[in-house]
Amino acid sequence: MSAPAVSQSGAEDIAIDVRHLTKTFDGRAVVRDLSMQVKRGTIYGFLGPNGSGKTTTIRMLCGLLTPDSGTGTCLGYDILTETEKIKSQIGYMTQRFSLYQDLSVRENLEFVGRIYGIEKPAAAARAAIERLGLSGREDQLAGELSGGWKQRLALGACTLPSPQLLLLDEPTAGVDPKARRDFWNEIHALAADGLTVLVSTHYMDEAERCHEIAYIAYGELLARGTVAEVIAASHLTTYTVSSNDSSVLARLTDELSSAPGIDMVAPFGASLHVSGRDKDALEAAVALYRGRKELDWKPSEASLEDVFIDLMSKAKDNFQ
Amino acid sequence: MTKLIPDEAPRRREGRGFWRKVWAVLIKEFIQLKRDRVSFAMIIMIPLLQLLLFGYAINTTPRNLPTAVLLQENNDLTRAILAALQNTRYFKVTELPKTEAAMDRLLASGKVLFAVEIPANFERAVRRGDKPAMLVAADATDPVAAGSAISALGMAVQTALKHERAVPDSVQMPFEIRTHARYNPAGKTELNIVPGLVGTILTMTMLVFTALSVTREIERGTMETLLSMPITPVEIMLGKIIPYVFVGFIQATMIVLLGVFVFGVPILGSIWSLALLSTLFIASNLATGYSFSTVAQNQLQAMQMTLMYFLPNILLSGFMFPFAGMPVWAQWIGEAMPLTHYLRIVRAIMLKGSSISELQYDALALVVLTLVTMTIAVTRFRRTLD
């Protein structure tokens, strides 16, 4: 392995280790100085708003894009010079369905099997159809499947060669909650067996199912760690204020939004989440409203969503 | 709950598996071609239509050529000649002009393609054995038609003279035909066209098929999956080209068979040499189309590039105009095109019975051009989405 041993914990335990990745399209930096490590056997959530550079980063990891600068390894192989080796060990599921629409389910799976050198591609495809619950649809053209089944097929195709690393780009977009839960149960079972999964998503509940998460906005990695670590690192102080009178809350939202020391106000049913980065300033702002009888103030913990919205608005101030 | 990954990982074969991957792409391309009815129809219809249209347009036995006859004398003999002309069915006497000027006008305007002038005192001169001259003016823009019509004319007039007993049977050609071929004095043999069509039809269809192959994958988004898999540009290229070698071969066979059985074109040389060099030519065109596909941004651009390439191929390869007659710079362009070499090969094998060793220059040129375009295609192929 030609890659420098950049991690302390040893290359064996690390599936992805990249440093200072930068990618520019037409003079616009899409990914800036991004470093991240993903341990083997973990489910790593990749979060961030649209156009934040998630897809670009995933494509750099699997050799579909060449970084302008930076180094790194994926499964111990150099992402700049050993992309062919990386490709034979990963499964990449694209954001947009990108199998052959004019091939049937079975033909698509057999094609993948042959490319990866599976000994009996027809048998492997048959087994995959069985496992994925696609029986009865194997001769249907991929283009004629509904969205949920297309997603199922795409997953089946990228897991068919039993890769060591799965790169999933928004795999559950537009999938119903039941299928989403099945998917996550399965991902956890796979990770327990040692498979590493990098999954990008917009959903907060999915982020909370990951072992670790990274939040990326405007091409920059803004936070990473376990969910608890990310929340703690945000240094957000949060209060929940509730009231029985919804009109009171609506008026309060406007007032609090412009109050100094309060950075975020978000309605959640019959209550508001009020957060601030500076604890003292927030306390001072809240103190003015504490006396009002119709309001019930409680200190609470910032949610992951609070943290991300805050990170995003901070990043926006810095970059735009 | 469904399972994504088998409990036991499927076994993979050892090694690079070059041909295995080529095979994977090849099967995929065949299936896709089978599903694409328009392309499938194109494989059969283009050669059929082109061959039949071109083939009948160059029919070697023209019928009913519009003809003007200027009779400077009117007697039994000249009337018999007129009738004999009609009887050949080559000619259809549509005009009887009174003066030479009127006859010339008819020819220039294109109302007639043929004009025959029988001079005054023709009959007397024939009987005296003076060998009088019949003047024939032909619009030779269609040299093939003019050529065979002129020989038919001689026969017809002689028959008429014998029938009228103007001369003893023993006398051959008691007159002379003074031909004046207008507009295109050089005529070329019609047999050139059918073998030439093998080349042009293959150029057109092979280019179109592969010119779209890479851009189609990019436009449909399937390129992203393909590139994320362990497969190299050479494997992709061969997998995409080989199915169409078969397709091209079927087309070539079709055209040659029709040429032989419908148009009576001979195959004097070895059919195996023809098959071998045709396969090489097919591969060369596929490589060219494929390299367009790696350069073009989308399918429309690829089609435009194909058309732009096709035009000089038709004009400068020797298909339409004799290669020897072209200026040197045009000949150099022609030498750089596979079609030029293939036309020489196919005409030489079919019509002259040449062997491969006699054609080694053109065969070698085809090999070189194929390798060059394949190299361009592989180097231009984008391995990443950058």
Side-chain angles (χ1 to χ4, degrees):
Chain A
M1 271 167 250
S2 59
V6 279
S7 94
Q8 282 90 34
S9 49
E12 286 306 298
D13 309 330
I14 299 286
I16 299 172
D17 186 353
V18 291
R19 306 280 160 137
H20 311 297
L21 288 188
T22 297
K23 182 74 192 175
T24 312
F25 288 121
D26 302 322
R28 199 171 58 88
V30 178
V31 173
R32 261 182 270 230
D33 198 30
L34 183 134
S35 300
M36 63 190 264
Q37 285 80 41
V38 177
K39 286 200 273 303
R40 276 187 198 255
T42 56
I43 299 172
Y44 201 85
F46 214 35
L47 291 107
N50 291 327
S52 57
K54 298 189 299 279
T55 299
T56 304
T57 307
I58 292 176
R59 285 175 173 175
M60 284 193 281
L61 291 175
C62 62
L64 279 175
L65 288 174
T66 320
D68 295 335
S69 64
T71 56
T73 59
C74 194
L75 298 170
Y77 299 116
D78 193 306
I79 59 163
L80 295 172
T81 58
E82 295 177 300
T83 52
E84 287 306 307
K85 285 178 182 153
I86 295 173
K87 284 175 183 177
S88 71
Q89 300 297 330
I90 60 164
Y92 171 42
M93 180 175 160
T94 54
Q95 197 171 335
R96 181 182 148 198
F97 181 76
S98 59
L99 289 169
Y100 295 97
Q101 312 253 9
D102 49 351
L103 256 54
S104 71
V105 169
R106 185 169 45 79
E107 287 158 352
N108 265 303
L109 292 171
E110 285 176 0
F111 173 68
V112 172
R114 284 190 198 101
I115 296 279
Y116 284 88
I118 285 165
E119 278 190 356
K120 293 180 180 119
R126 246 195 327 273
I129 287 163
E130 196 95 350
R131 277 201 308 281
L132 295 161
L134 281 163
S135 301
R137 293 173 202 271
E138 57 262 50
D139 290 320
Q140 213 170 323
L141 295 189
E144 291 167 2
L145 294 174
S146 68
W149 286 113
K150 271 186 185 162
Q151 180 252 17
R152 202 94 202 119
L153 172 61
L155 258 172
C158 73
T159 51
L160 182 82
S162 289
Q164 295 185 41
L165 170 65
L166 275 186
L167 301 171
L168 309 176
D169 199 357
E170 295 189 15
T172 56
V175 172
D176 68 59
K178 168 77 168 69
R180 222 145 60 91
R181 173 159 291 190
D182 285 350
F183 166 79
W184 277 95
N185 286 344
E186 184 63 27
I187 292 289
H188 271 276
L190 294 172
D193 289 343
L195 181 76
T196 313
V197 183
L198 180 81
V199 52
S200 78
T201 179
H202 282 300
Y203 302 116
M204 291 305 133
D205 63 315
E206 292 193 346
E208 283 163 357
R209 287 165 182 263
C210 295
H211 296 122
E212 273 187 60
I213 55 172
Y215 187 80
I216 177 172
Y218 306 101
E220 209 146 331
L221 195 79
L222 300 176
R224 62 181 192 193
T226 62
V227 172
E229 282 167 1
V230 168
I231 292 174
S234 71
H235 299 295
L236 274 185
T237 312
T238 302
Y239 277 95
T240 305
V241 54
S242 43
S243 170
N244 295 327
D245 187 344
S246 59
S247 63
V248 171
L249 276 186
R251 247 177 290 122
L252 190 64
T253 307
D254 294 339
E255 282 177 46
L256 292 175
S257 297
S258 50
I262 295 176
D263 295 305
M264 236 181 344
V265 181
F268 280 88
S271 60
L272 296 176
H273 278 204
V274 182
S275 313
R277 288 161 213 154
D278 184 332
K279 188 170 192 243
D280 295 339
L282 182 75
E283 301 272 349
V286 168
L288 298 173
Y289 296 91
R290 282 226 189 239
R292 287 168 66 170
K293 286 193 294 292
E294 72 273 29
L295 300 176
D296 179 20
W297 290 89
K298 279 196 197 113
S300 67
E301 195 177 89
S303 71
L304 198 55
E305 188 174 283
D306 293 332
V307 174
F308 288 157
I309 304 287
D310 179 53
L311 284 170
M312 204 172 121
S313 56
K314 263 197 281 189
K316 203 170 190 171
D317 297 342
N318 287 348
F319 296 115
Q320 290 197 333
Chain B
M1 194 175 81
T2 53
K3 277 180 72 73
L4 293 177
I5 289 189
D7 298 325
E8 202 177 324
R11 282 171 44 148
R12 293 207 204 172
R13 289 172 201 271
E14 300 292 313
R16 275 294 298 124
F18 180 86
W19 289 109
R20 188 192 68 224
K21 291 174 192 178
V22 170
W23 180 245
V25 179
L26 187 149
I27 291 179
K28 172 196 84 92
E29 291 288 325
F30 258 129
I31 298 171
Q32 289 183 307
L33 179 64
K34 194 182 74 189
R35 301 256 154 84
D36 185 356
R37 292 203 178 165
V38 177
S39 293
F40 209 70
M42 216 169 96
I43 292 169
I44 309 289
M45 290 313 287
I46 286 186
L48 211 61
L49 273 177
Q50 280 216 20
L51 193 70
L52 293 181
L53 290 179
F54 272 89
Y56 281 113
I58 53 139
N59 202 323
T60 55
T61 49
R63 294 273 181 253
N64 301 327
L65 287 178
T67 303
V69 178
L70 172 59
L71 297 174
Q72 302 282 27
E73 65 173 6
N74 196 345
N75 50 35
D76 285 348
L77 181 65
T78 56
R79 276 191 299 274
I81 291 173
L82 207 59
L85 287 182
Q86 297 270 35
N87 283 342
T88 61
R89 289 176 48 220
Y90 275 85
F91 308 101
K92 185 177 182 200
V93 179
T94 52
E95 307 280 344
L96 288 170
K98 297 285 178 245
T99 63
E100 267 183 57
M103 189 178 82
D104 284 347
R105 270 199 306 279
L106 286 169
L107 206 54
S109 68
K111 271 194 178 157
V112 299
L113 291 176
F114 228 74
V116 179
E117 181 183 351
I118 297 174
N121 302 320
F122 183 74
E123 182 177 8
R124 194 143 50 102
V126 168
R127 287 188 197 280
R128 275 212 308 255
D130 278 351
K131 284 202 136 204
M134 265 174 82
L135 294 178
V136 175
D139 178 346
T141 46
D142 185 355
V144 179
S148 45
I150 287 168
S151 62
L153 177 76
M155 299 303 291
V157 174
Q158 188 162 354
T159 312
L161 293 179
K162 283 185 178 159
H163 193 255
E164 290 295 310
R165 304 191 193 287
V167 288
D169 278 357
S170 56
V171 178
Q172 292 299 312
M173 291 296 278
F175 57 96
E176 88 180 272
I177 294 178
R178 209 167 285 160
T179 321
H180 189 78
R182 304 216 178 156
Y183 313 123
N184 177 16
K188 287 203 78 185
T189 164
E190 67 283 0
L191 292 181
N192 266 346
I193 303 258
V194 170
L197 274 177
V198 182
T200 46
I201 291 171
L202 283 179
T203 303
M204 191 157 122
T205 51
M206 294 297 98
L207 278 175
V208 169
F209 282 127
T210 43
L212 301 180
S213 67
V214 174
T215 43
R216 189 190 292 135
E217 298 239 10
I218 292 172
E219 277 183 26
R220 292 187 185 170
T222 51
M223 191 49 97
E224 192 174 355
T225 294
L226 196 58
L227 288 178
S228 76
M229 297 201 278
I231 185 165
T232 61
V234 178
E235 289 157 357
I236 295 175
M237 178 180 75
L238 291 179
K240 281 179 170 293
I241 282 182
I242 293 172
Y244 292 104
V245 173
F246 288 103
V247 170
F249 201 79
I250 292 169
Q251 285 193 324
T253 311
M254 226 167 88
I255 304 165
V256 170
L257 285 180
L258 280 174
V260 171
F261 292 110
V262 179
F263 297 105
V265 180
I267 305 178
L268 300 178
S270 149
I271 204 159
W272 300 110
S273 313
L274 186 63
L276 179 75
L277 294 176
S278 297
T279 308
L280 181 62
F281 174 66
I282 290 165
S284 173
N285 281 322
L286 291 171
T288 308
Y290 191 79
S291 54
F292 287 164
S293 193
T294 58
V295 176
Q297 304 287 328
N298 51 50
Q299 295 195 57
L300 181 65
Q301 266 188 23
M303 278 312 292
Q304 289 167 333
M305 289 169 76
T306 305
L307 282 178
M308 251 148 59
Y309 176 80
F310 193 60
L311 195 63
N313 260 285
I314 292 288
L315 298 178
L316 302 181
S317 63
F319 172 67
M320 280 204 163
F321 311 113
F323 196 77
M326 299 192 312
V328 177
W329 61 265
Q331 291 191 358
W332 276 108
I333 298 176
E335 291 287 340
M337 299 183 308
L339 181 59
T340 308
H341 300 286
Y342 183 68
L343 286 182
R344 290 180 197 152
I345 289 170
V346 70
R347 283 172 179 166
I349 292 180
M350 288 181 79
L351 307 177
K352 291 195 275 180
S354 306
S355 64
I356 286 197
S357 58
E358 289 170 292
L359 295 166
Q360 51 181 301
Y361 162 72
D362 289 304
L364 192 69
L366 273 187
V367 172
V368 171
L369 287 173
T370 309
L371 289 179
V372 168
T373 39
M374 279 189 170
T375 310
I376 293 173
V378 169
T379 43
R380 282 289 317 183
F381 186 87
R382 280 155 293 197
R383 287 158 186 266
T384 62
L385 297 171
D386 283 296

